[in-house]
Amino acid sequence: MRAFTYERATSPEGAASAALRTPGARFIAGGTNLLDLMKLEIEMPTHLVDVNGLGFDRIEPTPEGGLRIGALVRNTDLASDARVRRDYAVLSRALLAGASGQLRNKATTAGNLLQRTRCPYFYDTHMACNKRVPGSGCSAIGGVNRQHAVIGGSDACIATHPSDMAVAMRALDAGVDTLRPDGTRRTIPIADFHTLPGNTPSVENALAPGELITSVTLPAPVGGRQVYYKVRDRSSYAFALISVAAIVRPDGAGRIALGGVAHKPWRVEAAEREMPRGARAVTETLLAGAKPAEHNAFKLPLVERTIDAVLTNARA
């Protein structure tokens, strides 16, 4: 691990200013992803700004009838919150499907959104990776790419986003609330927060330098049967081959978002209009233009079969 300096932020404005002021600075809270990457010398921040003391650890109702989830709320606390379990069950189920109990006790809401890909070529510093070293190439293209993206990729990157929570957040139309170093605040729709790789796969989200996530806001509950189904190589401690976050209303309409298939949680609203017609119609629209790699074409029928199982169970 490379040497770095460290400070504990005492205010959100101070944290954002410190991150912008020091080149190579990073925020740290739970550190469940960042510290691993630092040990492997994939991430090499020169300065860490500890944001654990900023008080963003509460879940509060909004005037609009939704919930505001502080950026520092631990995954365990979010999954077990009675309001989340009752009104946003897809989010609770997605959190419980991710990681281990020990990691959920430490991992934060903002950190979960910001975790980086688990592509093995990203983690192997001897291999070319445009996400790790821009312009070096993508070893996954033409390599072992069973886990990789089937849609939304590019000639520069076919990595997938690893978060389960983010997939549920996408289905719920969450907003990511932030504070910029100049003191201005904004809310980024979750649909726009994560980016596709294009020619710049090292740019993974819409945050500006020094911009600090303060909370995630959920709209008022939409009702319906809420399901999160994760297909993986083993039943625990594994990232998704694919995952489906679904909200199914009694009339058969609803929402569907996918994980494990793209560089970001994947949702196509036009596909949701096909839900009353069944899984095949949904999948054809949801994955229109898919370009699987050499080893992962199996994900396309797997998506259809999983959506079919989810819709069948939700309507039962």
Side-chain angles (χ1 to χ4, degrees):
M1 184 182 288
R2 303 291 180 93
F4 58 89
T5 53
Y6 170 88
E7 70 174 284
R8 288 179 177 152
T10 57
S11 70
E13 295 78 10
S17 297
L20 182 65
R21 182 175 63 248
T22 309
R26 292 289 306 273
F27 298 120
I28 188 167
T32 57
N33 188 204
L34 178 58
L35 291 177
D36 285 343
L37 295 174
M38 289 172 65
K39 292 173 185 177
L40 294 170
E41 295 190 356
I42 295 169
E43 294 268 8
M44 293 177 282
T46 60
H47 185 65
L48 292 183
V49 181
D50 189 330
V51 297
N52 281 296
L54 299 184
F56 299 143
D57 56 354
R58 293 182 291 274
I59 304 172
E60 302 170 314
T62 66
E64 297 76 23
L67 284 180
R68 181 168 293 108
I69 303 162
L72 296 171
V73 172
R74 266 41 186 185
N75 288 177
T76 294
D77 296 330
L78 182 57
S80 62
D81 184 88
R83 295 160 294 185
V84 174
R85 295 178 64 187
R86 181 188 66 231
D87 297 327
Y88 306 96
V90 67
L91 175 57
S92 181
R93 290 171 175 151
L95 286 162
L96 293 173
S100 65
Q102 294 93 329
L103 286 173
R104 290 195 298 269
N105 288 341
K106 193 71 174 173
T108 63
T109 299
N112 195 310
L113 289 175
L114 293 172
Q115 62 181 306
R116 306 198 69 186
T117 184
R118 266 46 178 203
C119 171
Y121 297 106
F122 172 73
Y123 271 81
D124 186 345
T125 56
H126 296 93
M127 305 298 292
C129 174
N130 288 317
K131 186 179 287 293
R132 179 169 27 81
V133 182
S136 63
C138 176
S139 296
I141 298 175
V144 179
N145 42 45
R146 181 173 178 272
Q147 297 275 355
H148 289 71
V150 295
I151 195 164
S154 70
D155 291 339
C157 181
I158 56 171
T160 58
H161 194 272
S163 173
D164 292 290
M165 186 195 78
V167 181
M169 293 283 196
R170 180 68 181 91
L172 292 167
D173 281 331
V176 182
D177 308 314
T178 69
L179 173 70
R180 291 171 166 170
D182 64 2
T184 59
R185 296 178 182 270
R186 64 169 174 158
T187 297
I188 307 169
I190 192 72
D192 302 326
F193 182 77
H194 297 103
T195 60
L196 293 177
N199 294 321
T200 56
S202 58
V203 179
E204 299 174 342
N205 57 63
L207 294 175
E211 191 167 8
L212 174 68
I213 296 175
T214 58
S215 60
V216 174
T217 301
L218 300 180
V222 296
R225 183 73 181 273
Q226 300 189 14
V227 180
Y228 188 79
Y229 197 90
K230 181 176 181 178
V231 181
R232 44 190 164 176
D233 285 326
R234 58 185 188 272
S235 61
S236 62
Y237 309 114
F239 293 95
L241 289 171
I242 68 146
S243 62
V244 176
I247 302 171
V248 185
R249 297 195 294 268
D251 62 0
R255 303 176 183 179
I256 286 183
L258 300 180
V261 300
H263 202 255
K264 60 187 289 185
W266 193 255
R267 182 181 172 200
V268 178
E269 280 81 349
E272 295 164 358
R273 294 193 286 271
E274 305 292 335
M275 286 175 65
R277 295 180 55 206
R280 177 162 297 181
V282 172
T283 305
E284 286 176 354
T285 305
L286 194 58
L287 296 182
K291 295 180 179 179
E294 181 180 1
H295 301 121
N296 67 2
F298 72 92
K299 287 191 176 187
L300 304 185
L302 183 60
V303 166
E304 180 181 337
R305 292 168 187 163
T306 306
I307 290 176
D308 183 62
V310 166
L311 295 181
T312 299
N313 290 339
R315 292 166 179 162

